[in-house]
Amino acid sequence: MKKRLAFAICAAVLVVFVVAAATMSEEYVPGDPMKVGFIYVGPIGDLGWSHAHDDARLVCEETFPWLETVYVENVAEGDEGLYIDQLIQEEGCDVVLATSFGFMDGTLAGAQRYPDKILAHCSGYKRNPNMMTYMADFYQIYYLNGLMAGALSETGKIAYVGAFPIPEVKRHMSAFAIGAREVNPDIEVHARWIYEWFSPTAAKEATEALIAEGCDVFAFTEDSPTVVQVAAESDLTSFGHYSPMYEFGPDHIISGQIAHWEAIYLDFLAKVYAGVYTAHNIENLDYWWLLQEKAVEMGAEPGMLINPVFVEDLQAVMHNDPLLGTISVYDLVLKRMEQMSDPSMIFDPFSGPIYDRNGELRVPAGSRMSVLELTTMEWAVDGIVGPYPGEP
């Protein structure tokens, strides 16, 4: 009984300490030097998601003389709250940026615990007066990659190696399928989940299994170039993910998705420094930045939209579009990119009619999916084959 009582007293003291620390923390004064903490789900050397965020962190440090940054890497989803406390209480951070979907609830709890600090959560949808959300989203790029995959596949089966079945990955997979089936209505996108953000071993096994199923073009969400490398070893093609991956398959990588998180970070932190954003007015702030804002880029590497190895093949595949007429897939990719980069968003991949793979009309003709619908998407578009956890 004495041990239990002592434990209860210690727990109560800890709660009082955390509450007191939160109460005593100071609000950032615009124009003062700023310290920002980054929380990464993977290692910064992963060449994927966390690597791209850390590149952006370094850009911010180089750009703003008043900025100091710190980071923690390899943080398990569910442990983010501990690191939020550390970054604020021990490191003295004014702003904390949590960079994984699985950090959402812990970041919200941290924002409520430190109401005078500024927190931001990447890829989620929950907010607080002092917590905003942001995303440099790839769904437009995945659609463009899908157009090319549909044109270049010889087997009619293309693949997507997914990390976790969360809305972000699901909308990217669906955008990939929409693009592929626009140029080849009979194509199948074979899905396989590895339940890891960074696991070269799991990515290798999934890619090999999909090759055995007859897939010949690969896209993925996993923070290493493994899928690119394994596909290339079998003389199959792929798309890079998050960071430039051309060097890992120069004769086999078609294009890819490249993130420019610095576009969001530079804008947001400059406005915090100027006092535009404070700990009291960012509840409704959501950076949903795409091609138009130059937060994302299509390419095998910066400046290489499409690997020259595949240009001639894409130019040879013709597509009949209701509005554009007969056009090569190569030109269609460039046209769609131009349309989606236009401020008026002339074209969007998630424009109706769109049916899910159970035949239900999800997006009526004349409608487009909203940002909220995209960020909470659980269903699979027609053409996706394989397990789909969480599907309604």
Side-chain angles (χ1 to χ4, degrees):
M1 178 64 74
K2 289 181 179 179
K3 289 183 178 179
R4 291 182 180 179
L5 180 59
F7 177 79
I9 292 172
C10 289
V13 170
L14 179 61
V15 169
V16 171
F17 172 77
V18 171
V19 171
T23 303
M24 291 186 296
S25 60
E26 297 180 357
E27 183 175 345
Y28 175 71
V29 177
D32 279 1
M34 183 190 304
K35 191 169 187 179
V36 178
F38 291 74
I39 303 177
Y40 302 141
V41 72
I44 60 173
D46 63 6
L47 293 182
W49 174 274
S50 295
H51 177 78
H53 280 280
D54 200 61
D55 278 350
R57 177 186 67 84
L58 294 173
V59 170
C60 291
E61 270 204 341
E62 293 169 0
T63 302
F64 297 137
W66 39 263
L67 179 67
E68 178 185 356
T69 69
V70 293
Y71 68 88
V72 287
E73 57 184 327
N74 285 317
V75 174
E77 293 176 337
D79 290 346
E80 63 278 0
L82 299 173
Y83 291 96
I84 290 171
D85 290 341
Q86 176 185 314
L87 289 169
I88 291 176
Q89 294 179 21
E90 299 178 21
E91 295 288 346
C93 290
D94 305 294
V95 179
V96 175
L97 302 165
T99 66
S100 181
F101 181 83
F103 294 161
M104 180 164 59
D105 289 335
T107 306
L108 177 60
Q112 294 167 341
R113 201 158 56 245
Y114 301 100
D116 53 353
K117 296 298 181 180
I118 294 175
L119 285 84
H121 176 248
C122 181
S123 79
Y125 51 86
K126 294 183 180 180
R127 303 186 185 94
N128 204 59
N130 62 328
M131 173 181 161
M132 70 89 163
T133 52
Y134 66 99
M135 187 64 181
D137 199 76
F138 279 151
Y139 83 89
Q140 295 173 323
I141 310 295
Y142 270 110
Y143 160 78
L144 295 172
N145 290 173
L147 291 175
M148 292 182 273
L152 295 174
S153 175
E154 296 180 359
T155 65
K157 296 178 181 180
I158 60 178
Y160 195 111
V161 177
F164 287 94
I166 62 172
E168 174 196 335
V169 181
K170 289 180 176 180
R171 72 172 169 270
H172 293 169
M173 185 184 297
S174 286
F176 186 61
I178 289 170
R181 287 170 69 84
E182 182 174 332
V183 297
N184 183 352
D186 297 322
I187 207 160
E188 296 176 348
V189 176
H190 288 235
R192 189 164 292 252
W193 305 96
I194 62 173
Y195 295 91
E196 299 277 359
W197 289 118
F198 177 73
S199 177
T201 299
K204 181 177 186 293
E205 292 173 352
T207 306
E208 289 173 342
L210 289 162
I211 291 172
E213 291 179 16
C215 297
D216 61 352
V217 185
F218 292 79
F220 63 98
T221 297
E222 189 273 332
D223 294 331
S224 78
T226 302
V227 174
V228 173
Q229 293 170 310
V230 174
E233 288 169 3
S234 295
D235 199 26
L236 300 174
T237 56
S238 62
F239 297 89
H241 178 63
Y242 266 105
S243 299
M245 294 185 176
Y246 173 77
E247 64 179 295
F248 299 102
D251 294 324
H252 295 88
I253 191 166
I254 303 166
S255 185
Q257 318 98 38
I258 301 173
H260 292 289
W261 292 107
E262 67 274 10
I264 293 175
Y265 289 148
L266 289 170
D267 187 87
F268 177 65
L269 295 177
K271 288 176 179 175
V272 172
Y273 180 75
V276 176
Y277 297 141
T278 72
H280 309 288
N281 69 349
I282 59 173
E283 184 168 15
N284 296 316
L285 178 61
D286 180 48
Y287 279 80
W288 178 255
W289 280 19
L290 310 168
L291 278 167
Q292 179 188 334
E293 293 83 8
K294 295 181 172 56
V296 295
E297 176 185 357
M298 185 184 81
E301 62 179 5
M304 183 191 290
L305 292 175
I306 301 171
N307 187 338
V309 170
F310 299 98
V311 169
E312 187 174 334
D313 289 339
L314 290 169
Q315 289 173 333
V317 179
M318 305 305 294
H319 173 68
N320 292 318
D321 183 83
L323 298 178
L324 301 175
T326 301
I327 185 173
S328 74
V329 172
Y330 177 83
D331 288 332
L332 178 63
V333 170
L334 299 183
K335 185 63 178 179
R336 291 291 191 231
M337 185 166 59
E338 176 189 331
Q339 291 175 327
M340 291 187 292
S341 300
D342 189 281
S344 62
M345 278 283 285
I346 297 170
F347 173 84
D348 187 83
F350 286 102
S351 299
I354 298 177
Y355 291 83
D356 66 21
R357 65 179 186 171
N358 297 314
E360 180 181 346
L361 179 64
R362 291 286 185 166
V363 186
S367 298
R368 290 181 179 178
M369 291 181 69
S370 67
V371 174
L372 179 60
E373 288 171 329
L374 289 170
T375 54
T376 57
M377 184 178 183
E378 294 287 357
W379 50 275
V381 300
D382 192 22
I384 293 178
V385 175
Y388 212 78
E391 184 178 26

